[in-house]
Amino acid sequence: CGVFGIYSREEDVAMMTYLGLYALQHRGQESAGIAITDGAWMDVTRGMGLVNEVFRHQLPHMDNQYIAIGHVRYSTTGSSLLANTQPLIVNYSGGKISLAHNGNLTNATAIRKRLEEEGTIFQTSIDTEVFVNLIARSRKAAVEEKIIDSLGQIEGAYCLTIMTEDKLIGVRDPQGFRPLCIGKMGDTWVISSESCALDVVGAEFVRDVEPGEMIVIDDNGLRSYQFAEKQKRASCIFEYIYFARPDSVIDGQSVHDARFMMGRVLARESGFKGDIVISVPDSGTTAATGFAYESGIQFTEGLIKNRYIGRTFIQPTQQKRDTAVRLKLNAIRSVVEGKSIIMVDDSIVRGTTSGKIVKMLRNAGAKEIHMCISSPPIGYPCYYGIDTSIRKELIAATKSVEEIREFIGADSLHFLSIEGLKQCVPKLNCDDMCYACFNSSYPVDLKQEHTADSDK
Ligand code: 5GP
Ligand code: SF4
Ligand code: MG
């Protein structure tokens, strides 16, 4: 998921949030929502689909609106329900509170069970609602205290944007799994999952929210609270491999530079030779350019992507997914015919896309296809906010690299090693990252409770 928030007495906060969500669209295409307040009332517009579909006709509006939060959702199949869209709005003793969440609470089911036994009725199946209920039930006085009180009860990965009638609040979990940053323009404050959305609305990047930090923005400016003790950091490496946009900078590390480096290391590790380097657009392109740079082999466009369809994973059935791949990508015969091709992609999840692309290239006359993947094999599910239902079908959970090569029909296949991957984030301490979906080394102190309907 992607979250965004803005506090401004100058700008059209609903419009700015719309633009911000547009820039975060890659983080979720299933639903979108914007909540606004003018200090007295709160209103939300939510719907299924892309940002420009949900807000095709109108944005929420109040004459004196000055705070807004927004959300784009990416979730497990089966929970694509209007009821599960965000931001959520609830009443609490001090007024109204609205909340948008990116991540996955690993103890949400246990808390939900306890609250239900105590009489709480839930309207959605998302873990975010568990959290808003904790806030509403907290006996602490100030809203900041209620939130901190509730944060103490939850575990897992979460970045939150929260809005009350007079405050904009941002929260990042103690391990810092998911990204969240702060921007400013004039007296306007912005918080966003990724810095690319700050660029779009014209805000200057101020800093990242720290793991375990809560920031509160109101007319007095920004205040910071450290709500949890410093823990071992576990930034998600998959944000750099696939999820985030290459023009974003997360925790000081450019996503583009990390991906480019992944391609360079891939070239060194694989030693693959060929006539041309191509990518599976768009997610494989930055690494492919890094591969070409390191190997001296020319990068060319060999596959063309239809820009008018979303990510193929959204398709619920296998048959629909197959058609979607053909609809999405096509080979350029004049480029690939008779060539030995190095094809770079960011990851293999089910192996479906890769298998179809290999076949497509062969049909277009490719002589050899050497596939390079800029991540290690994904052998284990993620419990921290990247789609777990996809992970159940992980090809690398049951097949060896050689078996995967055979399955997708490539002449050779190389996955970036974890050691190689660690060289690609030089601005970060590579030991402060999560690699659990590659090595099953799940960050400590987190119960791996599987919640079917968590928010990504
Ligand atoms: P596969 O060949 O395994 O069927 O698909 C691999 C493709 O899926 C890669 O190009 C990669 O960019 C994309 N991918 C990897 N992880 C995810 C994910 O969590 N969600 C979506 N929508 N796509 C993913
Ligand atoms: Fe990221 Fe993988 Fe860790 Fe999940 S398990 S947080 S996808 S690195
Ligand atoms: Mg891709």
Side-chain angles (χ1 to χ4, degrees):
C1 295
V3 294
F4 187 89
I6 181 164
Y7 189 103
S8 179
R9 300 275 178 188
E10 294 136 23
E11 308 285 344
D12 176 345
V13 292
M15 175 55 83
M16 294 299 237
T17 304
Y18 172 74
L19 296 174
L21 292 182
Y22 223 126
L24 297 174
Q25 184 78 79
H26 60 286
R27 298 187 69 86
Q29 298 91 40
E30 187 182 290
S31 69
I34 297 176
I36 57 169
T37 186
D38 61 1
W41 299 95
M42 226 177 244
D43 189 18
V44 65
T45 305
R46 294 177 299 214
M48 303 301 293
L50 300 173
V51 175
N52 69 345
E53 293 167 345
V54 174
F55 302 104
R56 170 158 294 161
H57 299 297
Q58 72 186 62
L59 290 172
H61 177 80
M62 289 175 190
D63 284 345
N64 297 311
Q65 57 188 20
Y66 74 112
I67 316 176
I69 61 171
H71 188 257
V72 284
R73 181 159 201 257
Y74 156 68
S75 79
T76 53
T77 48
S79 57
S80 328
L81 300 169
L82 187 58
N84 287 348
T85 55
Q86 295 191 44
L88 297 178
I89 295 188
V90 290
N91 291 308
Y92 75 107
S93 55
K96 281 191 184 336
I97 191 161
S98 180
L99 190 142
H101 170 214
N102 166 216
N104 181 24
L105 305 184
T106 47
N107 63 344
T109 311
I111 301 178
R112 176 182 291 256
K113 198 158 160 270
R114 170 167 66 82
L115 294 179
E116 277 174 347
E117 279 163 10
E118 289 166 20
T120 306
I121 296 166
F122 285 91
Q123 288 166 11
T124 77
S125 58
I126 54 179
D127 50 5
T128 316
E129 194 183 2
V130 172
F131 184 65
V132 261
N133 267 285
L134 289 176
I135 300 176
R137 293 163 58 105
S138 169
R139 294 182 191 282
K140 301 281 184 196
V143 70
E144 289 96 324
E145 293 173 332
K146 286 181 191 289
I147 295 171
I148 292 175
D149 184 30
S150 310
L151 289 170
Q153 300 174 55
I154 60 172
E155 291 167 7
Y158 49 87
C159 275
L160 306 165
T161 50
I162 305 173
M163 178 176 84
T164 66
E165 282 102 341
D166 58 2
K167 290 180 180 67
L168 171 66
I169 298 169
V171 176
R172 192 171 181 195
D173 69 72
Q175 273 99 354
F177 281 99
R178 302 279 144 238
L180 192 67
C181 63
I182 309 168
K184 198 160 194 262
M185 75 191 128
D187 291 330
T188 297
W189 289 96
V190 178
I191 39 188
S192 170
S193 288
E194 288 183 41
S195 62
C196 64
L198 303 183
D199 299 338
V200 166
V201 302
E204 291 278 332
F205 174 84
V206 175
R207 66 176 176 89
D208 292 284
V209 177
E210 290 297 314
E213 185 188 20
M214 175 173 88
I215 54 154
V216 179
I217 295 159
D218 57 22
D219 279 344
N220 300 318
L222 183 145
R223 287 188 303 286
S224 162
Y225 300 79
Q226 195 67 35
F227 67 84
E229 280 173 34
K230 283 253 186 276
Q231 299 191 21
K232 186 155 170 47
R233 236 185 143 111
S235 312
C236 170
I237 190 71
F238 206 65
E239 291 276 349
Y240 295 93
I241 295 167
Y242 165 79
F243 208 50
R245 235 169 73 162
D247 53 335
S248 288
V249 178
I250 302 173
D251 293 331
Q253 171 66 58
S254 145
V255 175
H256 168 275
D257 294 0
R259 274 182 207 170
F260 190 81
M261 197 61 198
M262 288 169 202
R264 293 188 63 179
V265 178
L266 258 184
R268 274 184 240 147
E269 280 188 355
S270 70
F272 283 178
K273 298 279 177 277
D275 300 319
I276 50 170
V277 178
I278 68 166
S279 78
V280 181
D282 291 317
S283 55
T285 302
T286 314
T289 57
F291 191 110
Y293 178 87
E294 184 70 21
S295 64
I297 305 168
Q298 197 198 345
F299 170 79
T300 324
E301 278 183 300
L303 291 164
I304 291 300
K305 180 176 164 186
N306 183 327
R307 307 213 174 267
Y308 305 98
I309 38 171
R311 290 186 168 182
T312 46
F313 267 82
I314 306 305
Q315 302 297 330
T317 68
Q318 189 63 39
Q319 199 193 352
K320 275 196 199 160
R321 264 197 299 268
D322 291 355
T323 322
V325 173
R326 283 202 304 275
L327 193 63
K328 188 169 173 175
L329 292 166
N330 197 14
I332 307 178
R333 178 172 284 273
S334 64
V335 171
V336 303
E337 196 160 31
K339 301 269 174 51
S340 169
I341 293 166
I342 295 166
M343 178 163 78
V344 182
D345 201 0
D346 62 280
S347 53
I348 291 184
V349 183
R350 297 186 187 89
T352 347
T353 323
S354 318
K356 301 218 171 324
I357 296 167
V358 169
K359 209 181 286 163
M360 200 178 269
L361 289 171
R362 292 217 193 273
N363 288 341
K367 194 171 73 182
E368 288 169 10
I369 300 158
H370 306 286
M371 186 134 187
C372 270
I373 306 297
S374 62
S375 65
I378 306 174
Y380 308 93
C382 171
Y383 299 99
Y384 315 124
I386 300 280
D387 203 321
T388 43
S389 82
I390 290 177
R391 311 283 135 174
K392 269 188 252 160
E393 302 160 23
L394 296 170
I395 189 169
T398 52
K399 285 184 165 48
S400 68
V401 174
E402 174 54 21
E403 285 165 343
I404 299 172
R405 184 202 62 73
E406 215 183 309
F407 178 85
I408 64 178
D411 295 291
S412 22
L413 173 65
H414 180 81
F415 286 92
L416 186 63
S417 69
I418 293 192
E419 290 63 43
L421 187 56
K422 288 184 176 177
Q423 299 167 28
C424 301
V425 283
K427 297 281 161 65
L428 293 161
N429 180 348
C430 63
D431 293 325
D432 283 353
M433 312 212 59
C434 176
Y435 304 91
C437 49
F438 307 120
N439 64 7
S440 81
S441 171
Y442 292 97
V444 282
D445 290 343
L446 288 180
K447 259 183 259 117
Q448 289 143 27
E449 165 199 287
H450 182 86
T451 44
D453 277 347
S454 52
D455 266 287
K456 304 304 169 312

